Amino acid sequence: MAASSEELVFAPLGGVGEIGMNLSLYGLGRENARKWIAVDLGVAFAGDDLPGIDLIMPDIGFLLEERHNLHGLVLTHAHEDHFGAVLDLWPRLRVPIYATPFTAALFEAKRLSEPGAPDIPFKVIPLGARFALGGFDIELVSMSHSIPESNGLIIRTPLGTVLHTGDWKLDPTPVIGPATDEAKLRALGQEGCLALVGDSTNAVRDGRSPSETDVAKSLAELIREAPGRVAVTTFASNVARIRAVADAARACEREVVVVGRAMDRVVQVARETGYLDGVQEFRGTDTYGYLPPDKVVALCTGSQGEPRAALARIAKGEHPDVTLARGDRVIFSSRTIPGNEKAVGAVVNGLVTQGIELITDRTHLVHGSGHPRRAEMEELFSWVRPRIAVPVHGEALHLAEHAALARKVGVPAVVTCRNGDLVRLAPGTPDVIDEVPEGRLYKDGRLLVEADSRTVADRRRLGFVGVAAVALALDGRGTLVADPEVELIGIPEADADGETFDEIVRDAVLDTVENLPKARRRDPDEVAESVRRAVRGAIAQRWGKKPICVVQVILV
Ligand SMILES: [Zn+2]
Ligand SMILES: [Zn+2]
């Protein structure tokens, strides 16, 4: 029966069961003949468990298979977890890509900063735009968030209307940009909404996220009463916060110096797109040293402790232009993202050791999340009154709390799904009906590698045990014609009795070759494998750990 009827389906390929690398698909049509739209194409940031990997992105194999049925990609906003994979993955996908002006401009600035990046043509659409992609009638709805131009999508189809919230909160007094469009959302409720596919990030938190305007007031106070220099660090893309700091600085006659390339880029784009209209010009870092301490505010990248970002370099005294001293004040206008605690701790401790005063959101209202807490989520449900709730954008706990809240406020059906689930929204009872291929890609240097390739597993092992490399030269009769070459990397110098591992390895090599029967000695593969096992065993016996062992045999 399913095969013969038209269906509206939802399939997340990233961002559900995790925070980051958002990629959602909506499909319309009969099974095997579905047409798709994709929403967002983001990255996640790799932790210490993936040595040498910076970024994680969704595997788009399924989208590539369905490329001829894919009408386009719509980006909700310019956060990396929503658009960070476009630069790497769009060249494979090559479908029309839609975004509002700030998102498109920030993307372009990012693209131009990467040498050799391909040209990616955006279709730039205005805020509130309504446009058709095949059978999908899409209307943007402005949402407050922590970056300009976060858009929810109202997706109308012959089988019902979906509200894809994107990232949002209900700040009625954002410092910049339109507030969440309550009128449009209430009208959607009147018109009838089939499903709300929504942000779960803060579903565990009661109450409401603070307004940007209140955060701005508190920042202004803290900057005004600071005796010496002030450095404020925040997420580079938080233009409202940049504006709040600029206004606070002007009110007490301090100059603003922007420190950090990512923030420079955002400031430039925000000026081009009008989000910093009326804000004074900022000064270059080269002027910082000439300004009296009570006449400057440094606006810095590095709120997550990133070692190469401005604040970490300042904290270590390694920044060429910008320094801080005892009595200066650093404000973390940010939240530490789980996983970054150690890196932030290192920066914080570096600053405290130098006698610098630290202010964080533990004690002061210096940050507000960009995501809705429970009271805001309840309010949105009351406006839109969807028949189905589908929690996304969160880890398992966030999704479960969002689901429980939806049930509590009386949403008739709640569907919990994970990346790779295919959810039928209509017709009939909504449910997970199938799976689509999903996975992860790792950005490894300039390359994209499959998450299940051996690269990272090998590298993780290398971090624990080191490498023993041996090269042997044999003549045609299987006799060693020179001493073996031995190179040990990441292996201790000597064993507990003081014998060097270099000696231990050489002895193992010579013993093994001498004791091999003549016939087997003429086979280089055989020799290599025997030596490899012997070397590994000899090291393991003295060290208690098995290294990675590489043996090359050259016939001369
Ligand atoms: Zn966001
Ligand atoms: Zn997000």
Side-chain angles (χ1 to χ4, degrees):
M1 171 211 123
S4 62
S5 69
E6 299 271 326
E7 293 172 331
L8 171 62
V9 297
F10 167 70
L13 293 184
V16 185
E18 64 196 344
I19 300 256
M21 60 172 231
N22 294 286
L23 169 54
S24 295
L25 304 182
Y26 291 93
L28 196 56
R30 285 190 294 274
E31 193 188 349
N32 302 323
R34 292 189 177 109
K35 300 285 185 188
W36 303 91
I37 56 167
V39 181
D40 291 333
L41 187 54
V43 293
F45 295 96
D48 295 343
D49 57 330
L50 300 177
I53 302 296
D54 298 322
L55 299 175
I56 310 170
M57 0 195 136
D59 187 332
I60 55 166
F62 176 70
L63 273 187
L64 294 177
E65 249 170 59
E66 289 288 312
R67 205 175 71 88
H68 54 290
N69 293 317
L70 179 61
H71 293 302
L73 167 65
V74 185
L75 301 180
T76 59
H77 65 294
H79 274 151
E80 291 295 323
D81 61 321
H82 295 260
F83 90 157
V86 172
L87 206 50
D88 286 300
L89 297 182
W90 187 88
R92 301 179 181 192
L93 211 47
R94 298 193 163 275
V95 293
I97 180 165
Y98 298 82
T100 55
F102 180 84
T103 303
L106 194 58
F107 180 83
E108 186 63 6
K110 182 182 153 185
R111 189 183 76 81
L112 291 174
S113 74
E114 304 230 349
D119 194 12
I120 301 182
F122 271 56
K123 294 183 189 300
V124 180
I125 45 177
L127 292 179
R130 188 163 176 174
F131 58 104
L133 289 181
F136 299 89
D137 169 2
I138 299 170
E139 183 176 6
L140 302 186
V141 47
S142 291
M143 301 296 231
S144 296
H145 187 39
S146 46
I147 190 170
E149 299 184 6
S150 195
N151 298 287
L153 306 181
I154 296 172
I155 305 169
R156 295 181 177 87
T157 77
L159 292 173
T161 300
V162 177
L163 173 63
H164 181 99
T165 67
D167 291 4
W168 66 282
K169 63 173 181 173
L170 271 195
D171 190 344
T173 51
V175 167
I176 54 164
T180 295
D181 192 340
E182 179 177 344
K184 196 179 261 191
L185 292 164
R186 282 184 184 277
L188 171 62
Q190 291 295 323
E191 177 188 320
C193 178
L194 174 69
L196 187 153
V197 177
D199 183 350
S200 310
T201 315
N202 275 345
V204 293
R205 303 184 70 178
D206 282 322
R208 290 170 180 274
S209 287
S211 167
E212 272 302 319
T213 298
D214 295 331
V215 173
K217 276 185 202 144
S218 167
L219 279 173
E221 187 95 354
L222 288 163
I223 291 170
R224 186 172 52 77
E225 64 187 22
R229 296 185 181 91
V230 180
V232 182
T233 184
T234 187
F235 300 100
S237 59
N238 195 328
V239 180
R241 209 62 61 75
I242 292 171
R243 183 166 197 136
V245 170
D247 290 348
R250 181 153 65 179
C252 54
E253 295 175 337
R254 285 175 183 256
E255 299 280 355
V256 175
V257 173
V258 173
V259 198
R261 254 184 310 165
M263 201 174 280
D264 270 332
R265 194 156 73 204
V266 171
V267 166
Q268 184 203 328
V269 169
R271 289 207 186 271
E272 282 165 17
T273 46
Y275 288 103
L276 290 176
D277 282 358
V279 168
Q280 73 272 31
E281 283 300 317
F282 299 155
R283 308 288 295 266
T285 52
D286 51 340
T287 63
Y288 179 90
Y290 298 100
L291 294 164
D294 62 345
K295 290 288 172 252
V296 63
V297 175
L299 196 44
C300 307
T301 56
S303 68
Q304 299 306 307
E306 303 93 323
R308 281 166 298 181
L311 191 63
R313 295 174 67 202
I314 295 168
K316 280 188 279 186
E318 286 173 0
H319 197 281
D321 297 322
V322 181
T323 55
L324 292 171
R326 182 170 294 278
D328 290 342
R329 175 175 280 185
V330 170
I331 303 172
F332 275 77
S333 184
S334 57
R335 176 186 74 100
T336 300
I337 294 170
N340 296 340
E341 295 87 351
K342 257 192 190 168
V344 173
V347 173
V348 163
N349 287 318
L351 293 167
V352 169
T353 305
Q354 296 173 57
I356 291 160
E357 183 196 12
L358 274 201
I359 291 182
T360 71
D361 68 343
R362 274 191 311 125
T363 50
H364 292 78
L365 179 57
V366 288
H367 178 65
S369 162
H371 301 276
R373 296 192 192 174
R374 296 172 66 85
E376 295 162 84
M377 296 169 74
E378 286 186 21
E379 198 162 348
L380 183 69
F381 276 125
S382 79
W383 296 345
V384 177
R385 299 191 308 272
R387 277 185 276 143
I388 307 165
V390 185
V392 297
H393 202 289
E395 296 173 356
L397 174 67
H398 309 123
L399 302 175
E401 289 288 320
H402 185 169
L405 180 136
R407 285 189 198 99
K408 192 193 90 178
V409 301
V411 178
V414 177
V415 181
T416 51
C417 59
R418 287 295 183 274
N419 294 336
D421 283 344
L422 185 80
V423 178
R424 184 184 58 218
L425 298 172
T429 311
D431 204 0
V432 175
I433 56 165
D434 203 352
E435 285 178 353
V436 295
E438 56 90 31
R440 297 166 159 232
L441 299 173
Y442 295 152
K443 183 88 185 269
D444 184 12
R446 287 187 188 163
L447 303 177
L448 287 176
V449 299
E450 310 258 339
D452 51 11
S453 68
R454 275 183 41 197
T455 319
V456 177
D458 280 353
R459 218 176 278 165
R460 207 180 286 137
R461 236 176 102 218
L462 278 170
F464 289 102
V465 295
V467 181
V470 176
L472 301 175
L474 294 178
D475 66 14
R477 284 166 304 172
T479 311
L480 274 174
V481 298
D483 281 344
E485 288 289 328
V486 173
E487 178 111 39
L488 305 178
I489 304 167
I491 292 173
E493 199 63 18
D495 72 0
D497 302 327
E499 193 178 352
T500 67
F501 276 100
D502 192 81
E503 281 303 314
I504 292 165
V505 170
R506 281 173 199 281
D507 288 350
V509 173
L510 296 175
D511 270 6
T512 309
V513 176
E514 270 168 30
N515 291 325
L516 269 180
K518 275 235 160 78
R520 290 172 63 193
R521 254 197 260 170
R522 291 200 194 95
D523 177 353
D525 291 342
E526 183 96 26
V527 175
E529 181 53 21
S530 303
V531 168
R532 197 188 67 80
R533 263 187 274 141
V535 167
R536 207 157 172 251
I539 295 176
Q541 198 190 358
R542 320 286 183 104
W543 187 22
K545 293 166 91 172
K546 285 182 185 160
I548 293 170
C549 191
V550 183
V551 179
Q552 285 189 325
V553 175
I554 300 150
L555 286 181
V556 293

